[in-house]
Amino acid sequence: DQQVKQNSPSLSVQEGRISILNCDYTNSMFDYFLWYKKYPAEGPTFLISISSIKDKNEDGRFTVFLNKSAKHLSLHIVPSQPGDSAVYFCAAATGSSNTGKLIFGQGTTLQVKP
Amino acid sequence: GAGVSQSPRYKVAKRGQDVALRCDPISGHVSLFWYQQALGQGPEFLTYFQNEAQLDKSGLPSDRFFAERPEGSVSTLKIQRTQQEDSAVYLCASSLEVGGAYEQYFGPGTRLTVT
């Protein structure tokens, strides 16, 4: 039972263009969503998050959009840079949880070509 | 180093051996999490500590897995009688806040290979 799904295993974009990474979830109790970026041999690093009371959150080149009715979120990276090449994971949590455990998707490998 | 550290970084164990994986969280972080990441998959939750109390161990796959955080800082994940399906990267994360869904800081992980 995959509660968080990233259906695209990989994505390739040209430097300077927009990268759009998608994520779907099934559990309507999720009310907090995060994106993590992972380089090989390193742990995931936090990128950006959004609460379910918002539909957009922006931080520099990174913007996360949340569509609660569709149970869908996306991460936009504009402009994409070669250093953005990594595996991106979306994660979800129940904000009222007393543990804060994260449920991760399978990841999308982004390649930004110079 | 101000980040989360884990040791060893790599561990090879023969099937049936016991292993112990260590996590040093960021100083002062109350919450500590263990995740298991199989090849090509996202991290999967194993267990959660609030200080020294293990409040959630619902993700531990079997009673061969045991975690502790006796003084509320360093944590150890122990796997007894390792099996091949235990081969994965084990990630530790810590968070300043208690519960909620706040940002978690991850260590580099321990890659366990069971032969």
Side-chain angles (χ1 to χ4, degrees):
Chain A
D1 172 16
Q2 192 78 25
Q3 297 186 69
V4 178
K5 297 181 182 180
Q6 294 175 256
N7 292 316
S8 297
S10 63
L11 174 68
S12 182
V13 300
Q14 207 66 36
E15 180 179 6
R17 305 296 292 268
I18 184 172
S19 296
I20 301 176
L21 297 100
N22 294 300
C23 180
D24 298 291
Y25 62 96
T26 58
N27 189 341
S28 58
M29 297 299 292
F30 290 146
D31 57 7
Y32 199 77
F33 304 89
L34 307 90
W35 283 94
Y36 279 82
K37 173 171 143 177
K38 185 181 183 306
Y39 293 119
E42 294 182 12
T45 55
F46 171 76
L47 204 52
I48 192 169
S49 62
I50 188 167
S51 163
S52 62
I53 62 173
K54 296 185 175 182
D55 54 18
K56 175 182 174 181
N57 188 26
E58 191 171 350
D59 183 1
R61 297 186 297 115
F62 302 92
T63 303
V64 56
F65 295 92
L66 176 62
N67 182 334
K68 289 187 293 293
S69 61
K71 293 192 176 68
H72 177 84
L73 65 155
S74 60
L75 174 68
H76 293 210
I77 306 173
V78 183
S80 302
Q81 300 173 352
D84 296 329
S85 298
V87 180
Y88 288 79
F89 293 98
C90 69
T94 304
S96 58
S97 162
N98 63 351
T99 70
K101 69 182 182 185
L102 299 177
I103 308 299
F104 284 86
Q106 310 96 305
T108 296
T109 300
L110 172 65
Q111 182 185 27
V112 180
K113 298 179 179 178
Chain B
V4 178
S5 60
Q6 293 185 245
S7 60
R9 291 293 311 275
Y10 303 91
K11 177 69 179 177
V12 178
K14 291 187 177 179
R15 191 173 58 181
Q17 283 185 331
D18 297 349
V19 298
L21 313 179
R22 177 187 168 108
C23 171
D24 285 83
I26 294 173
S27 178
H29 277 199
V30 171
S31 296
L32 185 145
F33 305 80
W34 284 98
Y35 292 85
Q36 179 190 59
Q37 185 177 16
L39 191 63
Q41 300 296 316
E44 289 194 10
F45 172 80
L46 293 177
T47 188
Y48 165 71
F49 290 87
Q50 179 183 318
N51 295 308
E52 70 278 3
Q54 189 176 22
L55 298 187
D56 187 345
K57 51 183 181 179
S58 62
L60 296 176
S62 76
D63 58 9
R64 296 186 296 104
F65 287 72
F66 172 77
E68 60 184 4
R69 194 186 184 198
E71 297 178 359
S73 54
V74 171
S75 177
T76 304
L77 177 67
K78 298 179 180 178
I79 309 174
Q80 297 176 326
R81 305 181 304 280
T82 52
Q83 304 294 315
Q84 282 193 317
E85 61 263 27
D86 300 335
S87 295
V89 175
Y90 290 85
L91 294 164
C92 175
S94 70
S95 174
L96 183 61
E97 304 290 343
V98 173
Y102 301 97
E103 176 184 341
Q104 295 178 19
Y105 296 84
F106 282 82
T110 295
R111 179 177 295 279
L112 173 66
T113 303
V114 181
T115 60

